[in-house]
């Protein structure tokens, strides 16, 4: 039983090392323009909740740009644990939002106005595919979360 835990912890450590060492991760702190009033509120709520996770079980990395060749993949939050690698896309929308993971565009309604945007679940799945390919890991290791 102890050897299993050691192996799991060792593998998580190897994954963390691999991410930092071989893919030129650029970890940046959240920096928002003062006039952007929506983003800090949502980001701070998500970060506050992620900071409650047990640091012995979860490695939380916020606002990550992963460079691979000439492509950059932005991930809002990356959580590495023995349970998998969680890739979180956080959105801050006012009004009502309609869509599902199988629809290409979602719609946001604010009063009488509406606006379409790319499905964030699909967007995040694309991030997972690129990260998976870069790390040479099976996509089943990754968990897609949109909040």
């Amino acid at each position: 039983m102890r050897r299993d835990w050691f192996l799991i912890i060792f593998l998580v450590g190897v994954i963390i090392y691999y991410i930092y060492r071989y893919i030129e991760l650029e970890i940046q702190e959240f920096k928002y323009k003062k006039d952007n009033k929506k983003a800090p509120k949502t980001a701070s709520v998500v970060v506050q909740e992620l900071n409650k996770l047990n640091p012995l079980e979860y490695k939380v990395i916020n606002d990550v740009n992963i460079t691979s060749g000439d492509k950059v993949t932005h991930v809002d939050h990356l959580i590495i644990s023995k349970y998998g690698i969680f890739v979180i896309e956080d959105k801050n929308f006012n009004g009502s939002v309609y869509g599902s993971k199988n629809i290409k565009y979602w719609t946001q309604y604010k009063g009488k106005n509406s606006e379409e945007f790319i499905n964030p679940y699909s967007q995040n799945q694309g991030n997972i595919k690129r990260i998976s390919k870069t790390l040479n890991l099976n996509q089943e290791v990754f968990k897609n979360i949109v909040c």
Side-chain angles (χ1 to χ4, degrees):
M1 181 74 171
R2 273 191 128 151
R3 292 184 84 183
D4 292 339
W5 281 107
F6 176 76
L7 181 61
I8 290 170
I9 292 170
F10 175 76
L11 290 175
V12 169
V14 168
I15 291 170
I16 291 170
Y17 175 79
Y18 190 87
I19 289 172
Y20 277 110
R21 183 81 178 133
Y22 294 102
I23 320 185
E24 302 174 13
L25 274 181
E26 296 175 24
I27 302 173
Q28 304 168 353
E29 293 181 17
F30 283 99
K31 294 179 182 176
Y32 296 99
K33 294 179 181 175
K34 290 181 181 177
D35 61 344
N36 188 346
K37 296 177 182 170
K38 294 189 302 182
K41 183 178 179 185
T42 300
S44 65
V45 169
V46 174
V47 170
Q48 284 175 8
E49 290 303 312
L50 293 176
N51 285 338
K52 294 178 184 177
L53 294 172
N54 181 346
L56 298 176
E57 290 190 63
Y58 301 92
K59 173 65 179 164
V60 178
I61 308 169
N62 298 305
D63 201 25
V64 179
N65 288 319
I66 300 174
T67 304
S68 179
D70 61 344
K71 295 186 179 184
V72 176
T73 299
H74 177 79
V75 176
D76 293 327
H77 312 284
L78 190 66
I79 293 89
I80 302 168
S81 78
K82 63 184 177 187
Y83 306 108
I85 301 173
F86 299 84
V87 181
I88 301 176
E89 176 72 24
D90 71 42
K91 297 293 185 187
N92 184 19
F93 293 114
N94 295 324
S96 300
V97 176
Y98 295 93
S100 72
K101 71 178 189 176
N102 300 322
I103 296 174
K104 186 173 183 176
Y105 292 99
W106 289 12
T107 306
Q108 175 186 18
Y109 295 96
K110 288 192 226 178
K112 295 180 182 179
N113 299 324
S114 66
E115 186 176 334
E116 285 190 338
F117 57 94
I118 294 175
N119 177 337
Y121 184 87
S122 297
Q123 176 187 355
N124 208 34
Q125 193 61 40
N127 291 342
I128 289 171
K129 285 180 184 177
R130 285 186 292 282
I131 296 167
S132 169
K133 184 177 179 183
T134 302
L135 293 175
N136 197 25
L137 292 173
N138 189 322
Q139 285 186 36
E140 292 178 14
V141 172
F142 296 88
K143 311 298 181 204
N144 187 343
I145 300 173
V146 176
C147 58

